[in-house]
Amino acid sequence: MTDPSITNVDVEREHSFDGITEFDNHLPNWWLWSFYLACIFSVFYWGAYHITGFAALPTEVYEADQAALAAQSTDADDETLRALLADPNYIASGKKIFDINCASCHRNDGGGMPGLGPNLTDKFWLHGGEPASIYTTVTKGVIEKGMVAWESQLGASKCRKATVYVMSLRNKNVANGREAQGEPYAGQ
Ligand code: HEC
């Protein structure tokens, strides 16, 4: 089919390769327009997905789905606790529990208090920095050192929320935090 947009008389270009020559025709308009529209669309796409965050990228949707699944379960293994870190609402409810029950010894910002609770915003852990280890410390406590076993007081679900909030404080290194104690933990 001849493209109706090609109205000019075909002009042959000067070069030739192995006897093959080519015309110097205009690109068809439908082709040009689909190219221009794709360029315009790409600006909006880039803005929505990568600049403003108006639309969620596939990885973000995936993380939110995993967090929603984890929130429905009662598991407290490393993987589930890490997945919950992607849910800001879950962390916010953990913060409320922390403010009421934990801040008196660990300070409002988690920086710790000499003689009371250790700094939870550095990378050093007395009882292990793995998510499941933090959960065990929170639920079972370290009675002889003054850390309460919270499971009997708060229940497993609130302990899990407080644990995920503590994980969100990790490596924030707040100002005037208590000195480092224990072993460094590099993971999340
Ligand atoms: C009465 C004071 C007190 C309160 C309240 C308290 N803690 Fe603690 N917490 C401690 C002490 C003391 C330790 C350190 C235990 C040790 O030296 O072995 C500790 C340790 C911890 C650790 C382990 C830190 C590490 O380095 O391994 C975590 C996590 C923790 N607390 C979380 C919480 C959470 C969450 C709450 C609230 C639900 C809470 N704590 C409430 C006193 C407290």
Side-chain angles (χ1 to χ4, degrees), residues 1-184:
M1 201 181 81
T2 340
D3 191 302
S5 66
I6 304 175
T7 52
N8 55 321
V9 179
D10 290 341
V11 180
E12 210 170 309
R13 299 183 73 180
E14 279 175 10
H15 56 239
S16 133
F17 300 101
D18 291 341
I20 300 170
T21 56
E22 58 181 342
F23 289 135
D24 189 12
N25 289 340
H26 284 291
L27 287 162
N29 282 342
W30 66 263
W31 191 97
L32 283 173
W33 275 109
S34 65
F35 176 69
Y36 296 147
L37 290 174
C39 290
I40 294 164
F41 175 78
S42 72
V43 175
F44 286 99
Y45 182 94
W46 178 61
Y49 282 90
H50 294 280
I51 303 299
T52 62
F54 174 76
L57 288 165
T59 45
E60 292 164 357
V61 174
Y62 176 76
E63 280 175 10
D65 285 352
Q66 292 299 104
L69 279 176
Q72 282 164 22
S73 79
T74 53
D75 298 346
D77 52 274
D78 288 346
E79 201 187 336
T80 308
L81 293 168
R82 282 193 192 110
L84 288 165
L85 267 182
D87 182 349
N89 294 329
Y90 197 88
I91 294 176
S93 53
K95 178 177 168 25
K96 281 190 195 139
I97 296 160
F98 187 91
D99 290 349
I100 297 168
N101 302 284
C102 323
S104 51
C105 292
H106 291 283
R107 218 167 80 177
N108 275 328
D109 61 2
M113 290 191 219
L116 291 168
N119 190 343
L120 301 175
T121 71
D122 60 11
K123 62 175 180 184
F124 295 93
W125 299 87
L126 289 163
H127 301 285
E130 296 79 10
S133 306
I134 299 177
Y135 180 76
T136 305
T137 314
V138 175
T139 49
K140 309 290 177 232
V142 191
I143 314 288
E144 66 282 4
K145 294 282 174 63
M147 167 66 178
V148 182
W150 290 99
E151 193 164 26
S152 54
Q153 300 202 29
L154 298 175
S157 163
K158 284 187 174 171
C159 284
R160 206 169 72 136
K161 288 178 175 159
T163 300
V164 174
Y165 177 64
V166 168
M167 287 167 65
S168 78
L169 298 176
R170 207 202 274 289
N171 296 329
K172 277 196 171 172
N173 295 307
V174 296
N176 306 317
R178 195 177 162 184
E179 82 283 0
Q181 292 171 283
E183 298 297 316

